[in-house]
Amino acid sequence: RAVAVISVFSAMIICVRLVRIPLHIPGAGSIPWITLMILGRAISTYSLTSTIMGLIVGIITTVAGIDLPPGPQHIIKYLVSGLVIDAAYGVLPKHNVFTYLVIGALTSTSKLLSVYVVAYILNIPLIVIKAVLIYVLALHTVFGIIAGLIAYSLVLTISKVKGLRS
């Protein structure tokens, strides 16, 4: 069952990453794929679901050149996001809206910070990011919270449908 969830949600994340809606707001593109990563973890019983999804999505987006700019930093970005979701989901209480808001915010900000750390290690100039880091971090947090709220709503809906069928 965990393999099926990981496969389906990884494929959905890749499809979401292929469709670009240019909002020109830092962090807004995180909403759909972070929602899917959180949702995949919530409906799976396997404790490393999001980490494996992140690794699969990171490898595919890197090899296929889906995310811009292309490069191996996407493996780290998605892997770190998955690790954060799995760790937070393991520690925080389940089926609580606050839990999903925190997980969404942590995931989106960890994604931003992982890309920043990789760029710093590779000695890529980040003058623009340094100048607006607080602003960008705040936006990533807000969009992560939105992703968590959407994931929580979807988990509630799935739970109700599951309850009706049992």
Side-chain angles (χ1 to χ4, degrees):
R1 176 181 153 117
V3 172
V5 169
I6 291 168
S7 301
V8 167
F9 278 89
S10 295
M12 287 193 300
I13 292 168
I14 295 297
C15 291
V16 164
R17 296 307 301 147
L18 286 171
V19 177
R20 294 192 202 289
I21 300 172
L23 296 176
H24 304 294
I25 302 172
S30 300
I31 293 174
W33 68 264
I34 288 177
T35 300
L36 289 171
M37 285 186 82
I38 295 171
L39 183 61
R41 175 60 188 100
I43 65 172
S44 175
T45 56
Y46 185 60
S47 61
L48 293 176
T49 297
S50 291
T51 303
I52 295 171
M53 279 192 300
L55 182 62
I56 292 169
V57 171
I59 291 170
I60 292 172
T61 56
T62 298
V63 171
I66 294 171
D67 273 347
L68 297 174
Q73 72 274 11
H74 300 297
I75 296 172
I76 295 168
K77 173 176 77 173
Y78 290 106
L79 183 63
V80 166
S81 297
L83 284 167
V84 167
I85 291 169
D86 287 336
Y89 199 83
V91 173
L92 297 172
K94 312 307 183 265
H95 310 298
N96 180 344
V97 68
F98 180 71
T99 298
Y100 287 86
L101 298 179
V102 169
I103 290 173
L106 287 174
T107 304
S108 189
T109 55
S110 70
K111 175 203 68 127
L112 170 69
L113 294 176
S114 69
V115 170
Y116 185 77
V117 168
V118 167
Y120 183 77
I121 290 169
L122 296 176
N123 204 20
I124 298 171
L126 295 170
I127 295 168
V128 175
I129 291 179
K130 287 179 185 177
V132 294
L133 185 61
I134 301 291
Y135 168 71
V136 174
L137 197 56
L139 285 175
H140 274 76
T141 303
V142 167
F143 289 122
I145 288 171
I146 293 169
L149 187 60
I150 294 168
Y152 178 74
S153 301
L154 292 171
V155 168
L156 280 181
T157 304
I158 290 169
S159 298
K160 288 177 185 174
V161 169
K162 242 176 133 176
L164 293 174
R165 289 187 183 163
S166 355

